[in-house]
Amino acid sequence: EVKLVESGGGLVQPGRSLKLSCAASGFSFNDYWMGWVRQAPGKGLEWIGEINQDSSTINYTPSLKDKFTISRDNAQNTLYLQMSKLGSEDTAIYYCARARYLDYWGQGVMVTVSS
Amino acid sequence: DVVMTQTPVSLSVAIGQPASISCKSSQSLVGTSGKTYLNWLLQRPGQSPKRLIYLVSKLDSGIPDRFSGSGSETDFTLKISRVEADDLGVYYCLQGTHFPQTFGGGTKLELK
């Protein structure tokens, strides 16, 4: 069974950084692109970006490129999302998903940016 | 970015009745490979999204054949032949042909 479990969310002050993790199991992690999607409270879905199998290609939605960094550790079957200079507009549930076609999603982790 | 426009925004349907959701893209979703990367997802209340359909009309494993997808180029439709209680939630279309991937605004299916 494919399983994706996000962690690392919580309350963070504006301007600070936060790093999310996504632990993958039930499939061969290093055979797949992986990605992140977010959802602001009561809003729709926003694609953040994706990373290929060996981390040689990382794509970001242009408006978020300077704020987010996606990485992965294939030995640990873990995907990461480093977020910097956070603002209130980044308050959202963050989902990791198996890319490129988002066929499996994690349960999501809440990030709240507030002083 | 490709804009995905879903209609209606909300839909109230009785159990056993059909439902239909439209998704229109601002440009053709036919890729250079000839494939059309249009997915449909369902987000049930309090849950993460789940993919139902990919490549316009292919059902994901375990998805009942009450669901069907159709369309081409810029116009796509998700149909549920007979709505069940488990179908309520928000449906999203998603295009993966053009960078960046973009979602429709969602259609909330409620039970009448």
Side-chain angles (χ1 to χ4, degrees):
Chain A
E1 178 196 6
V2 173
K3 198 169 183 182
L4 300 169
V5 179
E6 302 92 338
S7 60
L11 177 64
V12 60
Q13 293 180 327
R16 303 297 292 264
S17 298
L18 194 66
K19 188 172 186 176
L20 305 181
S21 300
C22 170
S25 61
F27 66 102
S28 182
F29 182 73
N30 55 12
D31 284 344
Y32 287 87
W33 287 69
M34 295 295 295
W36 290 95
V37 177
R38 71 178 181 179
Q39 185 172 38
K43 301 297 184 183
L45 300 164
E46 180 180 26
W47 186 81
I48 295 172
E50 61 184 3
I51 184 169
N52 75 340
Q53 292 90 334
D54 65 1
S55 305
S56 60
T57 300
I58 308 174
N59 298 315
Y60 301 95
T61 199
S63 61
L64 301 176
K65 184 177 182 180
D66 294 332
K67 178 173 287 198
F68 294 147
T69 302
I70 298 173
S71 62
R72 64 191 293 164
D73 182 341
N74 286 343
Q76 299 293 325
N77 289 348
T78 303
L79 175 73
Y80 301 102
L81 180 67
Q82 175 72 52
M83 305 183 290
S84 63
K85 301 176 185 175
L86 288 165
S88 59
E89 68 279 7
D90 299 311
T91 292
I93 298 172
Y94 286 75
Y95 297 100
C96 71
R98 196 170 76 171
R100 304 185 78 177
Y101 307 115
L102 307 184
D103 57 350
Y104 288 95
W105 296 58
Q107 86 288 349
V109 63
M110 184 70 205
V111 173
T112 303
V113 184
S114 175
S115 54
Chain B
D1 295 3
V2 175
V3 177
M4 304 295 287
T5 303
Q6 282 183 241
T7 54
V9 172
S10 64
L11 191 54
S12 183
V13 179
I15 297 289
Q17 294 302 302
S20 180
I21 300 170
S22 171
C23 177
K24 296 184 187 296
S25 57
S26 59
Q27 56 185 281
S28 173
L29 298 187
V30 180
T32 53
S33 64
K35 293 183 178 180
T36 302
Y37 295 96
L38 187 283
N39 300 340
W40 289 96
L41 302 96
L42 167 61
Q43 186 173 32
R44 296 185 175 95
Q47 296 187 18
S48 58
K50 177 178 180 173
R51 198 179 73 175
L52 305 175
I53 288 174
Y54 63 101
L55 293 173
V56 180
S57 61
K58 296 183 182 299
L59 266 62
D60 272 289
S61 176
I63 302 304
D65 59 8
R66 300 183 291 105
F67 291 89
S68 64
S70 63
S72 62
E73 300 283 350
T74 60
D75 288 351
F76 303 92
T77 302
L78 173 70
K79 291 184 178 179
I80 309 172
S81 60
R82 298 173 308 280
V83 168
E84 296 186 0
D86 194 43
D87 299 339
L88 71 89
V90 181
Y91 290 81
Y92 294 95
C93 57
L94 161 66
Q95 71 82 19
T97 298
H98 301 285
F99 176 83
Q101 295 192 46
T102 47
F103 294 87
T107 297
K108 187 173 184 178
L109 178 63
E110 301 173 308
L111 299 180
K112 187 180 291 184

